[in-house]
Amino acid sequence: MRTTHLLASFVLAALVMGPVSAQAPATPAAPPPFATTKLTDNVYIFRYGGHQSMFIVTPEGVIATDPISLKRPAAAAYIAEIRKITQAPIKYVISSHHHYDHIAGGKPFKDVGATFVAHRNAQGHLAKLKDPDVVLPDQLVDERGTIELGGTRLD
């Protein structure tokens, strides 16, 4: 009688669970290489791999930081993520510093009309290196700089 109950349990389990497969159990999907997170009403973080940038959306346009595109297609994804939120023009790209993992690959932003802003020391360093993957700044700041766009002021 015990064998009958055990066999019936296996048959019932097979009917409920379907055929047994030799495949390995499913692994969780890897996170996408990029994501955008809203911080406040008009401020967002864009993450690509282990790097991140920020952008601010105003009624007159977007102020973005670092393209983060060294040896990766982050700039295209970054612009596409901005476009999911607004069609306003990308007016500024602010370089946080001269390290290539932050400032490389800015050409797609330049192609859509962005003005590049950086500290005077970063500009001097970049001009000496003459890297074709880095957009040289259009505007320089020293100790302080201000950008005003669409009712937002960045100091």
Side-chain angles (χ1 to χ4, degrees):
M1 186 76 168
R2 180 172 163 90
T3 304
T4 305
H5 287 285
L6 189 57
L7 182 59
S9 296
F10 281 131
V11 170
L12 181 58
L15 289 173
V16 171
M17 294 173 47
V20 176
S21 172
Q23 295 177 353
T27 57
F34 60 88
T36 299
T37 305
K38 186 175 187 175
L39 292 180
T40 67
D41 290 340
N42 64 339
V43 179
Y44 299 81
I45 290 179
F46 170 74
R47 176 196 55 80
Y48 194 101
H51 293 81
Q52 63 185 27
S53 294
M54 296 180 74
F55 63 97
I56 300 168
V57 176
T58 79
E60 292 178 17
V62 175
I63 304 168
T65 64
D66 302 325
I68 60 173
S69 292
L70 178 65
K71 299 179 184 174
R72 59 187 168 267
Y78 192 179
I79 291 170
E81 289 292 290
I82 291 170
R83 291 292 170 243
K84 288 179 184 177
I85 295 162
T86 183
Q87 293 302 308
I90 301 170
K91 296 291 228 173
Y92 295 96
V93 173
I94 301 171
S95 298
S96 63
H97 61 290
H98 71 272
H99 292 166
Y100 289 120
D101 60 331
H102 288 266
I103 63 166
K107 188 174 180 319
F109 285 94
K110 193 66 174 168
D111 291 346
V112 297
T115 297
F116 279 67
V117 181
H119 191 275
R120 186 172 308 281
N121 292 342
Q123 192 270 349
H125 178 76
L126 296 172
K128 288 178 194 172
L129 296 176
K130 298 178 183 174
D131 188 320
D133 198 31
V134 174
V135 174
L136 292 178
D138 302 300
Q139 290 183 9
L140 302 175
V141 296
D142 288 307
E143 293 303 312
R144 294 194 176 273
T146 300
I147 294 175
E148 292 187 42
L149 183 67
T152 297
R153 178 183 168 124
L154 241 68
D155 289 314

